[in-house]
Amino acid sequence: MKKMFNWVLAAILTICGTAAYASCTVNDNNLSEQTAGYIPKAPDYSDPTMWIMEDGDANGTGADVFYVVSTWEDDWKTADGKMCHYADVWNPEHRAHMADLEMKKVAAYMSPGNRFFAPFYRHTTIQAFMTNNEDTVYQRTRLSMDDVRKAFDLFQAQRDQSRPLIIAGFSQGGLAVVELLKHIDDDTYSQLAAAYVLGYKVTKADMSACSHIRPAEGETDTGVTICYNTVKDVKYVLPLIAGSDICINPVNWRTDATPATLHDTITITVSPEHHVLVATNYSASEYPPFRGFLNVGDIHSCEPWLYSECLAKNIAVRTREWKKKH
């Protein structure tokens, strides 16, 4: 881990330099005009505190995985009563929520055979999504996505670019994956083995705006985007999050309605009409309804966990396939 921390420190020095550091920071003043409320201090990605990193690639034959965590904070107030709509990456409790409840658990299945990097960022709070308003989500997440882009650019500039790249994220992190695909240049895209949008949507508008978003069609294609959302019935699709125009089954890697069996008893089937996964014979009792918003017929909270074995295997498959072509 010390070597990994040194990598991050070198990144800031190489990209920004001491004098130019301001050019690599968020313009909080401009962003605060559009997001309102208290804006926490920006992350300093030269500080290892701002990362969860795991090097599970002892042989140097795997991929570099850049993972973006989902939403873990509610709106909160500062000591002087100012409202904040963002996680505070300098708050140990906020970092613990992100790391212990998700980032480390995802690293447990994505890092073996790979190098895993996940930045803390000022993700917008759940209240933005509970408005069910696209404009509110767009405005609030501008700051969040800016953090993610900054972290990714440092990561990308310092990593060995002869290695395959995996980008993945869940929920708000899935939104960040879509935005990163729009952000990267063609050279970076050529390094992409696959992008995984877990529990968020990819729309026709996204694909029209970005040639780097190419829907996966099977288990082995590379440079593609994997996207899925899981529901108990299509009537439970939450458009703000799961109103996707693409979907692939992570169990059998089909985009049609061919069913797949997971864990011996659960059936997972794509609805080609609604672009979601329908799970049957699965109670999802471990994911109780959240404030009447999530896990109410949809099974949003399951996305990184229910298919973890399938995802770990597929990352390895697409990594090998990418290497065959490069």
Side-chain angles (χ1 to χ4, degrees), residues 84-142:
C84 184
H85 302 302
Y86 298 96
D88 181 355
V89 298
W90 300 99
N91 181 326
E93 183 178 357
H94 287 196
R95 288 200 310 275
H97 291 164
M98 291 183 264
D100 297 341
L101 297 174
E102 183 177 339
M103 296 158 82
K104 291 179 181 179
K105 292 180 179 179
V106 171
Y109 71 83
M110 286 193 182
S111 67
N114 303 304
R115 296 171 186 165
F116 179 92
F117 304 81
F120 294 104
Y121 69 109
R122 292 172 294 180
H123 65 259
T124 193
T125 57
I126 189 64
Q127 278 72 22
F129 296 91
M130 290 178 68
T131 66
N132 268 317
N133 185 289
E134 294 274 2
D135 290 338
T136 299
V137 170
Y138 171 75
Q139 291 296 337
R140 293 266 182 91
T141 57
R142 290 185 66 188

Side-chain angles (χ1 to χ4, degrees), residues 2-18 21 24 44-48 51 53 153-159:
K2 183 177 180 181
K3 183 185 295 184
M4 306 296 276
F5 291 163
N6 289 340
W7 168 88
V8 178
L9 291 168
I12 276 286
L13 295 175
T14 301
I15 299 280
C16 300
T18 303
Y21 181 72
C24 291
D44 174 2
Y45 290 116
S46 70
D47 187 336
W51 296 85
M53 296 176 284
D153 287 348
L154 295 177
F155 153 82
Q156 174 64 10
Q158 287 301 305
R159 77 181 195 90

Side-chain angles (χ1 to χ4, degrees), residues 228-274:
Y228 63 78
N229 291 273
T230 308
V231 297
K232 293 183 178 181
D233 188 282
V234 294
K235 67 184 180 181
Y236 295 117
V237 173
L238 183 62
L240 179 71
I241 293 172
S244 186
D245 290 315
I246 68 172
C247 180
I248 192 166
N249 190 328
V251 184
N252 61 8
W253 301 104
R254 300 287 295 258
T255 58
D256 61 17
T258 302
T261 302
L262 178 66
H263 302 158
D264 297 328
T265 58
I266 303 170
T267 300
I268 305 295
T269 309
V270 171
S271 167
E273 179 183 357
H274 297 91

